[in-house]
Amino acid sequence: MNILVCVKRVPAPGARIVLTDDGQDIDTRHLGFTTSPHEECAVEAAVQLTEKHGGSVTVLTLGPPEAVEQLRYSVSVGAHRVVLAPAPTTEWDPEATAAALVEAIGQLESDSPFDLILFGNESADSGGYQVGIRVARALGRPVINGLKGIEINGGEMVGRRETEEGYEVYRLPLPAVAGAKEGITLPRYPTLPGRLKSRRATIEETPVHLTPGAQEMVRLLNPVEEQTETIILGHGAEAAPGVVRLLEKVGLL
Amino acid sequence: MSLILVFVDNDRGSFSPTGPEALTPAQSLADHLGARLEVATVGEAGRTALEQLGLPGHVVSHPILSDYAPEAYGEALAQLADHVGASVMMAAGDDRGAEVMAHAATVLDRPLVANVTEIVTAEETGATWEMMRTRWGGSLAEKTRLRSSRKLLTIAPHTFPAPGPGANPPRPADIFPPELPEHLARTRVVERIRLTEGLTLATAPVVVSGGRGVGSAENFAILEELAELLGGVVGCSRVATNNGWRPHSDQVGQTGTRIAPDLYIACGISGAVQHWVGCMASQQILAINTDPEAPLVTKADYAVIGDLHEVLAAVIAEIRAGKP
Ligand SMILES: Cc1cc2nc3c(=O)[nH]c(=O)nc-3n(C[C@H](O)[C@H](O)[C@H](O)COP(=O)(O)OP(=O)(O)OC[C@H]3O[C@@H](n4cnc5c(N)ncnc54)[C@H](O)[C@@H]3O)c2cc1C
Ligand SMILES: Nc1ncnc2c1ncn2[C@@H]1O[C@H](COP(=O)(O)O)[C@@H](O)[C@H]1O
C-alpha cells in the first residue's frame, strides 16, 4: 500500500490577517507556517493505513525551499519519504498547480503508481476546491472529495462522506484519489524520536515546469467588518443574573 | 446571444439549501449582459423542483446518473454546456456544487473560479473579467482576474439570497441525454448511513462552545448541562478537537461547521480568524473569557470577564433557582 499525500505550506494567521502594503500577500513577518488541518489529517490517515496494511507514505509539496519545514513535520508524524517540487511561491492558480503536481507525480511513479493519492478537501489559503480533482482526471483515476472516513478493502478504497442526515459511502477501485476533510481521523502529535528522525530526513527534489494559468490574483483585501460595541455583563459569578436576562431576551428561557 | 448555464444540484428530488443561491447573481449577470439564463439539474427526480424555477431547463438523464456520482455529473454537465453553447457556467460553492464544477472544468479544460462573491467587471461574456472571491474560508477577500472565453464559477454560499418561490411561473424542462462511459459509475454513492440525531450543530438555536480554556474533556460536562437546559448543543474550537476532548463534528470554524444560531456562547475561546468565520453569522454572541482583550470578547455582542467554570456554574444555579 503506497500512498502519496499532497500538502501546501500556508501561513497561520491568528486573530487578524494583516496584508502587505501592496495587497499582494499576507504579511508573514510575525507568523508561523503550517498546512491545512484537512491535509494534516490526510497525512495521519495515510500513516494509519500503512500501519495497518504495510507500505509507505510519501508527502509532496510544491513550494519555496521553506516548505521543507512542512515536509519535516510530516516525517515527525510518520511519513516515510518527502519530496519538494521547488517553486518560487505557492501562488499559482489551480490549473498550474495541478499540472505541476501531475508532472512531479509522473516522476515519482516511474516504477509503479501509488495505490492512493490523498489531497485536502481544499487548500487553507486560496481554497480553489479543485487541484485534487484536476490531478486525478489527468491521471485517469477515480476521485472523490470531502471524505470523513477511509478504509482499504481488497482492491477498493471505501470512503465515507458526511451529509446532513448521516453518511454516504463510496467504493473506488484502486489506484484512486481522494480529498480528505479534517475529522477523517485525529492527527497525532510528533514524538521526540519522530522529531529527531525528521531532522535527519532526506528531502528529495523533483523539478517541475510552471506556467501561470488563466486565473490571476489582482490583490487581497480584508473584508469590511462591522464594529460591535461589546456589552460587558459583569465579572465572574456576579454576572449570572445579567446572563440569565440575556437568555430570556433571546427567548431561550 | 450568449448563454449562462446554472447547475442546481438535487439530492433525490430536493435542491440543496444553498443550491439555488447561484441563480440570483446569474440572473443579474444575464440582465446586465443581455444573455440568456438556463438551468440544469441531474436526474429525473429533480424535474419538479427544476420546473418550479420557471426558467428554460434541462434535466440531465442517464442510467449512470441514478444517484450522486461526481465524475459522471461533471462529464454530463460539460457535454450539456457544449450542447447549448454556454459561455458561462455557474453553481453554488457547496460540497457538491464545488466538486461537480471542478470535474466539469477539467473536462472542458477551463479555469474554475471558486467562491465568487461579486462580479466586478463583465462587459461581455468572452472578455477578461474581474471578480471578488473569498479565501481562508471567508476571512480574506481576493480580487481575481479571469482570462478565458468560457467562464466557470462557483458562488460563495450564504452570499446571495435564493430567488423567492414563484419568481417565475413553472415551465416544462427538456431532457438532455449525455453519452457516458460505463466506468464512470465507479464514483457513485453505493450506500447511505442514516444517523438519527435530533438537534445538530448546524441547526441548534443555541450553541454552547468551549475552547482551550475549558481544560479537559471532563470539564465539558458543565457546557453540556447548560446546552441541555437551553435546548441547544455543545460546540468547540480546534484546540478542543485536537486534544481529543470533543469529536470533530462539534468543531466550529473554517475546517469545521459554519453555524448561525440565535445565540453563540463562546467559553474560553480566543477568536482566531479560522474560528470566527464559523460563528460570525450568529444572531448574538456571548463570550466568556478571563482575558478582556481576547478578539472574541471584543467582537462579541456581550461578554463576561472571568473564569468560565465559575461563570457557568453560577449561571446554571441562577437558571435552576428561577425554575419552579
Ligand atoms: C487553516 C486553519 C484552519 C483552522 N480551522 C479552525 C476551525 O475550524 N475551528 C477552530 O476553532 N480553529 C481552527 N483553526 C485553529 C485556530 O487558528 C486557533 O488555533 C484555535 O481556534 C484556537 O482555539 P482556542 O480559542 O480554543 O485556543 P486559544 O487560542 O489558546 O484560546 C484560549 C482562550 O481561552 C481563554 N481562557 C483560558 N482559561 C480560561 C478560563 N479558565 N476561563 C475563561 N477563559 C479562559 C484565554 O484567555 C484564551 O482567550 C485553524 C487553523 C488553521 C491554520
Ligand atoms: N502547492 C501545493 N503543493 C502540494 N499540494 C497542493 C498545493 N496546492 C494545493 N495542493 C493540494 O490540493 C488540495 C486542494 O487545493 P485547492 O484546489 O487549492 O483548494 C490541497 O488541500 C492540497 O492537498
Side-chain angles (χ1 to χ4, degrees):
Chain A
M1 178 98 256
N2 291 322
I3 308 178
L4 176 73
V5 189
C6 295
V7 305
K8 180 181 189 183
R9 172 181 166 90
V10 297
R16 228 153 50 90
I17 299 184
V18 182
L19 300 177
T20 56
D21 290 338
D22 63 3
Q24 293 301 301
D25 207 346
I26 293 179
D27 182 348
T28 54
R29 280 173 304 176
H30 308 292
L31 296 181
F33 285 79
T34 182
T35 64
S36 162
H38 296 321
E39 294 154 27
E40 204 176 314
C41 288
V43 171
E44 177 65 38
V47 170
Q48 287 177 12
L49 286 173
T50 55
E51 283 168 354
K52 192 164 169 195
H53 302 282
S56 78
V57 175
T58 305
V59 175
L60 168 66
T61 193
L62 170 80
E66 295 81 7
V68 162
E69 180 192 352
Q70 280 59 52
L71 294 179
R72 290 205 190 278
Y73 182 85
S74 61
V75 172
S76 75
V77 291
H80 304 93
R81 181 182 175 199
V82 287
V83 185
L84 174 72
T89 72
T90 52
E91 192 54 51
W92 304 93
D93 87 343
E95 281 183 289
T97 303
L101 291 177
V102 169
E103 191 183 351
I105 292 166
Q107 296 174 42
L108 296 173
E109 287 189 334
S110 57
D111 300 336
S112 61
F114 291 103
D115 301 292
L116 191 61
I117 305 181
L118 295 181
F119 289 82
N121 186 67
E122 83 273 4
S123 53
D125 57 348
S126 55
Y129 291 78
Q130 56 190 277
V131 165
I133 291 166
R134 288 187 183 275
V135 169
R137 288 201 90 108
L139 298 172
R141 296 180 202 169
V143 57
I144 191 82
N145 214 10
L147 292 191
K148 278 287 198 88
I150 190 164
E151 277 168 45
I152 298 296
N153 199 339
E156 282 182 339
M157 179 201 87
V158 184
R160 297 215 300 176
R161 178 148 142 172
E162 216 167 43
T163 64
E164 271 160 50
E165 52 188 41
Y167 286 98
E168 288 166 352
V169 180
Y170 296 85
R171 282 183 211 284
L172 274 57
L174 298 177
V177 179
K181 275 194 178 178
E182 185 183 18
I184 192 169
T185 184
L186 186 62
R188 72 192 68 186
Y189 287 105
T191 56
L192 190 59
R195 278 184 212 278
L196 291 174
K197 198 167 158 202
S198 75
R199 253 181 254 158
R200 291 191 306 265
T202 313
I203 311 287
E204 289 175 48
E205 285 198 13
T206 151
V208 291
H209 296 85
L210 275 156
T211 26
Q215 186 187 329
E216 181 195 351
M217 189 258 282
V218 179
R219 69 161 299 155
L220 303 172
L221 296 145
N222 285 111
V224 254
E225 272 194 4
E226 39 177 313
Q227 293 294 326
T228 25
E229 202 58 59
T230 309
I231 300 170
I232 305 289
L233 297 176
H235 289 73
E238 283 161 22
V243 173
V244 169
R245 275 195 298 279
L246 171 64
L247 296 172
E248 283 165 354
K249 199 175 105 191
V250 181
L252 293 166
L253 288 176
Chain B
M1 191 163 58
S2 53
L3 192 143
I4 302 172
L5 179 65
V6 178
F7 163 60
V8 186
D9 179 58
N10 79 83
D11 186 10
R12 291 157 287 160
S14 313
F15 284 154
S16 73
T18 43
E21 289 175 4
L23 290 165
T24 302
Q27 184 67 64
S28 314
L29 188 64
D31 295 344
H32 173 74
L33 296 169
R36 184 176 159 83
L37 176 62
E38 298 190 0
V39 288
T41 200
V42 176
E44 276 300 326
R47 173 175 292 277
T48 310
L50 190 76
E51 292 184 341
Q52 292 300 320
L53 294 174
L55 291 162
H58 310 274
V59 175
V60 181
S61 227
H62 188 281
I64 288 182
L65 305 172
S66 58
D67 203 337
Y68 184 63
E71 283 191 284
Y73 272 44
E75 175 69 43
L77 283 165
Q79 288 179 19
L80 176 62
D82 278 343
H83 176 75
V84 299
S87 45
V88 180
M89 202 171 147
M90 290 163 66
D94 48 24
D95 279 351
R96 286 187 174 188
E99 184 172 42
V100 170
M101 288 292 281
H103 278 284
T106 314
V107 174
L108 294 169
D109 197 14
R110 293 290 173 167
L112 165 67
V113 183
N115 287 321
V116 172
T117 53
E118 186 192 344
I119 297 169
V120 184
T121 52
E123 294 318 322
E124 48 181 308
T125 45
T128 295
W129 286 9
E130 287 195 342
M131 288 169 265
M132 299 301 297
R133 62 179 298 265
T134 61
R135 286 193 173 214
W136 286 97
S139 307
L140 194 61
E142 172 193 341
K143 185 182 231 184
T144 203
R145 194 176 286 141
L146 176 63
R147 283 176 287 109
S148 172
S149 55
R150 195 176 225 176
K151 300 192 171 63
L152 283 84
L153 341 169
T154 65
I155 301 300
H158 310 297
T159 309
F160 297 94
N168 306 297
R171 66 185 273 171
D174 65 23
I175 292 187
F176 176 72
E179 279 174 33
L180 299 176
E182 199 51 49
H183 74 266
L184 289 186
R186 65 193 179 180
T187 42
R188 190 170 53 207
V189 175
V190 292
E191 193 187 337
R192 285 195 168 77
I193 299 166
R194 275 187 92 94
L195 299 178
T196 39
E197 253 185 285
L199 275 181
T200 65
L201 192 55
T203 57
V206 52
V207 175
V208 184
S209 201
R212 191 192 303 277
V214 177
S216 69
E218 299 72 44
N219 284 352
F220 267 89
I222 197 161
L223 281 80
E224 297 267 12
E225 191 180 348
L226 181 62
E228 190 157 328
L229 272 173
L230 300 177
V233 300
V234 167
C236 72
S237 76
R238 180 162 186 243
V239 166
T241 318
N242 259 7
N243 286 339
W245 301 343
R246 302 298 299 179
H248 181 263
S249 52
D250 283 0
Q251 184 176 312
V252 173
Q254 182 178 339
T255 49
T257 304
R258 279 121 206 278
I259 59 171
D262 299 334
L263 180 66
Y264 185 61
I265 308 181
C267 311
I269 298 177
S270 65
V273 285
Q274 302 90 359
H275 187 82
W276 178 248
V277 290
C279 67
M280 65 185 183
S282 307
Q283 294 299 313
Q284 307 277 346
I285 297 179
L286 164 63
I288 304 176
N289 201 303
T290 42
D291 176 9
E293 305 295 327
L296 202 61
V297 171
T298 58
K299 285 182 182 172
D301 303 285
Y302 301 92
V304 174
I305 309 306
D307 174 57
L308 69 95
H309 308 99
E310 267 175 45
V311 177
L312 291 181
V315 168
I316 288 169
E318 184 87 9
I319 296 172
R320 295 213 189 277
K323 287 210 166 161

